[in-house]
Amino acid sequence: MDELLQILARDARTPVADLATMTGRTEDDVRAAIAAYEHQRTILRYRAVLNPEHIAAADGKVRAWIEVNITPQRGLGFDAIAERIYKFPEVKSCYLLSGGYDLLLLVECDSLRDVGAFVAEKLATQENVTRTATHFLLKIYKQDDDILHSSESTQRLPVSP
Amino acid sequence: MSPPRPARENSTRPSVTRLSRVVEGLPPSGIRAFFDLVMSMEDVISLGVGEPDFVTPWRIREASIFAIEKGYTSYTSNRGMPELLREISAWLARHYDLHYDPFKHIIVTVGVSEGMDLVMRAIINPGDEVIVPEPAYVSYVPTVVLAGGIAVPLPTWDAPGFKITPDALEQRITPRTRAIVINYPANPTGTSYSRAELEALAAVIRAHDLLLISDEVYDMLSYDAPHVPMATLPGMHERTVYFNGFSKAYAMTGYRLGYACGPEPIIAAMIKIHQYTMLCAPIVSQMAAIEALRNGMPDVREMVAEYNRRRRVIVHALNQAGLRCHMPEGAFYAFPSLAATGMDGAAFATQLLQEERVAVVPGTAFGPGGARFIRMAYAASMDNILEAARRITRFVARHAPQAVSPSAPVSS
């Protein structure tokens, strides 16, 4: 991966001047590269990474991973049915996986009840859906490289040879 | 029982606390006083640390825990665990086409520091001279002196990029010269050498039939060109004691583990001292090192990429601030000159600490010619480096406005 993307993926607010210095490129070159990445949707968007624990405490939302087995459609495979499912705003992420089930959804709702309703009314009733299994999220230890309850601290002395 | 011996006439100490005159003659570490000052202050951004800011990669720590669980708590063979010796040998062959027999040419030590002490004691007879280029890492001169040798400084303070030149080296060689120490990428300058530059130095070393003591512990932290071990050059394998370790590349400083490779008689002599003074390197550290050599490279690459970004940021910032600084080829140190400010390194470091709460190390810690320099380690987070750069820019603008280049942005 381009070093520029590596740096931005970790801190999207890194100023162009710093990006240029870090990568040994000119500022104009960096600006042009970023514009190209945005244009071709390599960079989809810039957003803050929120601490999910704090957000959950504040908004009380319920998150669940749902395994979905589906019967693929002739000529369309999984894509058409996946699209019908991921278009629901409750579905935050949707992946097609190998293994014992086909789609894995991350669903976010206001309450347990709402998750149940979504599964019962919208998901399980889809014509090609043959089975669902819902797993409610209890605790996040690590998400996208961030360890949420880190007790690690540096033991370095402030000056050493 | 023999009668108590009379105290030496020239000693002012009571006899029980009388010290070796060699040890008494050693100056205390130049870092110590400054360390105490830093410790007395809070909220300091420290660029004074000679070790990675990364904690040891988890896979290596996990392997250490597993080793303890499995009962690896004993001594090992003096030379080191056979499995580790084989891994070191294989790693050097794979990375550098550098070949050592694991059971003849390699010894595992408690850091390169112990290895350095061992080699000096193994090769020096009283009065033998060892050439030590300066600026130098703090332990070379004392280990030579403790072994009864004479450390002959080879100053490179004014040389471009602090590089040793064949001429300068030649001038320091006498009939008593036993060995030369070289450290690259270097602490404290970050200087490294191209193959051509090494060839030129090797020619002098060969011509005078010297032993080379080559500390290459920062080898993986080479940013612009692949590291070339001296021992891979023609005619150098048989006259080089090669040192490397796990502290820097794998962020394993606290594990205290390094190794030395070289001619069988020298390694055998080092093992002789090692077996009586250290017995062996800690077994848990050796188990961790096996994991590091087998699976540590992705972690190393990630850390090196980050150091490289920081290197560019800090050198750019220092030059902007008016402190002339060459782009170091390796390690994680910038070594700017304070010439443009007219300030002395110790005063600069003390005032910078007191006024801006940034800790750096005065250049005099690395040799008497270092008064015009400071060492800044960029083994610190990018946020801290950027903030330290702002503070240093402000500091220089306040104390030596003539030093600041007109284009430099000065934040308040």
Side-chain angles (χ1 to χ4, degrees):
Chain A
M1 187 177 15
D2 183 348
E3 193 173 21
L4 207 51
L5 293 176
Q6 287 178 32
I7 300 169
L8 288 173
R10 204 160 53 183
D11 182 2
R13 297 205 301 174
T14 312
V16 168
D18 290 347
L19 287 172
T21 310
M22 285 178 203
T23 57
R25 296 157 78 163
T26 66
E27 290 189 31
D28 284 346
D29 184 23
V30 167
R31 263 187 223 99
I34 291 175
Y37 283 131
E38 289 169 351
H39 179 72
Q40 71 211 23
R41 295 190 83 228
T42 300
I43 294 176
L44 287 173
R45 68 165 88 194
Y46 302 92
R47 62 180 168 194
V49 178
L50 306 179
N51 186 329
E53 301 259 294
H54 295 190
I55 299 310
D59 67 10
K61 292 224 184 216
V62 174
R63 291 167 181 83
W65 293 97
I66 305 176
E67 305 169 6
V68 185
N69 288 63
I70 53 187
T71 313
Q73 292 168 289
R74 185 172 186 125
L76 291 170
F78 291 104
D79 295 353
I81 181 70
E83 185 177 358
R84 285 188 74 100
I85 292 170
Y86 65 61
K87 280 189 166 168
F88 285 102
E90 293 92 332
V91 178
K92 297 299 166 190
S93 303
C94 174
Y95 310 95
L96 176 65
L97 302 182
S98 64
Y101 54 92
D102 304 303
L103 295 183
L104 182 63
L105 315 179
L106 173 61
V107 167
E108 197 177 282
C109 295
D110 284 336
S111 67
L112 225 81
R113 232 182 121 84
D114 290 347
V115 176
F118 171 74
V119 174
E121 291 164 23
K122 309 292 182 199
L123 195 58
T125 52
Q126 294 284 337
E127 200 178 336
N128 298 291
V129 169
T130 58
R131 186 193 76 103
T132 67
T134 303
H135 309 272
F136 288 99
L137 177 67
L138 302 181
K139 183 173 183 177
I140 299 176
Y141 293 101
K142 181 178 182 181
Q143 179 174 294
D144 296 335
D145 278 344
D146 288 312
I147 294 171
L148 300 184
H149 301 275
S150 179
S151 57
E152 228 168 62
S153 64
T154 176
Q155 307 293 324
R156 292 198 307 171
L157 301 171
V159 178
S160 66
Chain B
M1 255 175 74
S2 57
R5 285 191 296 173
R8 276 181 204 280
E9 286 170 70
N10 63 356
S11 175
T12 55
R13 290 175 182 273
S15 58
V16 286
T17 57
R18 197 178 64 225
L19 303 175
S20 141
R21 270 167 292 169
V22 177
V23 173
E24 257 184 330
L26 281 182
S29 163
I31 287 176
R32 189 68 225 180
F34 194 66
F35 174 81
D36 292 338
L37 183 60
V38 177
M39 285 300 269
S40 72
M41 300 179 72
E42 283 176 13
D43 300 326
V44 172
I45 295 181
S46 184
L47 305 183
V49 191
E51 64 176 318
D53 59 312
F54 300 105
V55 68
T56 310
W58 175 247
R59 67 169 65 256
I60 297 171
R61 288 188 277 159
E62 200 269 343
S64 325
I65 297 165
F66 183 68
I68 293 171
E69 284 174 343
K70 296 299 267 182
Y72 284 86
T73 58
S74 59
Y75 294 134
T76 72
S77 98
N78 300 130
R79 185 188 285 280
M81 298 175 79
E83 204 178 350
L84 175 58
L85 292 164
R86 276 193 214 99
E87 285 295 337
I88 291 169
S89 175
W91 190 92
L92 291 171
R94 196 161 72 232
H95 279 258
Y96 296 126
D97 199 16
L98 179 55
H99 300 275
Y100 291 108
D101 183 314
F103 305 106
K104 285 185 184 150
H105 300 136
I106 305 179
I107 174 178
V108 175
T109 57
V110 179
V112 170
S113 298
E114 189 214 347
M116 200 52 66
D117 182 40
L118 293 179
V119 75
M120 298 306 179
R121 289 199 271 169
I123 63 158
I124 290 175
N125 281 301
D128 281 352
E129 295 176 359
V130 175
I131 296 174
V132 179
E134 283 180 359
Y137 178 62
V138 298
S139 77
Y140 303 139
V141 170
T143 50
V144 171
V145 172
L146 285 169
I150 298 165
V152 176
L154 165 49
T156 65
W157 305 97
D158 299 318
F162 306 98
K163 288 192 182 187
I164 313 160
T165 61
D167 284 348
L169 173 57
E170 190 101 45
Q171 281 169 26
R172 299 282 149 172
I173 296 171
T174 75
R176 307 270 358 220
T177 305
R178 175 72 185 88
I180 167 174
V181 176
I182 183 171
N183 166 222
Y184 69 100
N187 179 2
T189 60
T191 292
S192 197
Y193 294 85
S194 68
R195 180 179 292 275
E197 290 165 335
L198 292 173
E199 296 269 15
L201 294 175
V204 177
I205 293 166
R206 280 194 306 264
H208 292 271
D209 197 24
L210 301 181
L211 180 74
L212 175 69
I213 294 168
S214 196
D215 179 353
E216 303 178 27
V217 73
Y218 291 97
D219 66 336
M220 300 306 288
L221 281 55
S222 296
Y223 307 112
D224 298 324
H227 179 84
V228 180
M230 263 287 208
T232 59
L233 301 184
M236 292 305 292
H237 191 269
E238 59 268 33
R239 60 174 67 255
T240 299
V241 184
Y242 168 90
F243 289 88
N244 205 338
F246 298 87
S247 295
K248 314 301 178 181
Y250 301 96
M252 288 172 66
T253 43
Y255 280 86
R256 310 302 311 120
L257 205 72
Y259 56 91
C261 310
E264 193 174 359
I266 293 179
I267 296 297
M270 289 168 70
I271 290 175
K272 212 191 281 184
I273 306 167
H274 177 74
Q275 73 188 358
Y276 294 132
T277 55
M278 192 62 70
L279 215 162
C280 66
I283 190 169
V284 175
S285 300
Q286 295 193 55
M287 291 297 285
I290 291 170
E291 174 64 19
L293 290 175
R294 283 185 185 156
N295 299 311
M297 199 47 73
D299 290 311
V300 173
R301 275 195 214 103
E302 208 164 293
M303 290 189 276
V304 170
E306 178 62 20
Y307 288 137
N308 190 11
R309 294 192 275 268
R310 298 171 181 177
R311 169 183 78 130
R312 289 169 166 155
V313 166
I314 199 163
V315 171
H316 177 76
L318 289 171
N319 283 307
Q320 287 276 297
L323 305 182
R324 195 170 51 79
C325 181
H326 84 296
M327 181 62 83
E329 292 95 342
F332 39 59
Y333 308 105
F335 200 66
S337 162
L338 306 177
T341 68
M343 292 174 82
D344 148 272
F348 186 98
T350 307
Q351 288 184 45
L352 180 65
L353 178 63
Q354 284 165 342
E355 294 173 25
E356 297 287 355
R357 310 231 155 200
V358 174
V360 300
V361 176
T364 43
F366 309 100
R372 284 295 174 83
F373 297 92
I374 51 169
R375 187 195 73 178
M376 305 175 73
Y378 49 89
S381 73
M382 188 66 90
D383 285 346
N384 277 345
I385 286 172
L386 290 166
E387 176 58 24
R390 280 189 280 276
R391 295 184 188 185
I392 289 163
T393 304
R394 195 160 64 195
F395 179 82
V396 174
R398 190 161 64 237
H399 289 273
Q402 78 284 359
V404 183
S405 76
S407 67
V410 178
S411 56
S412 52

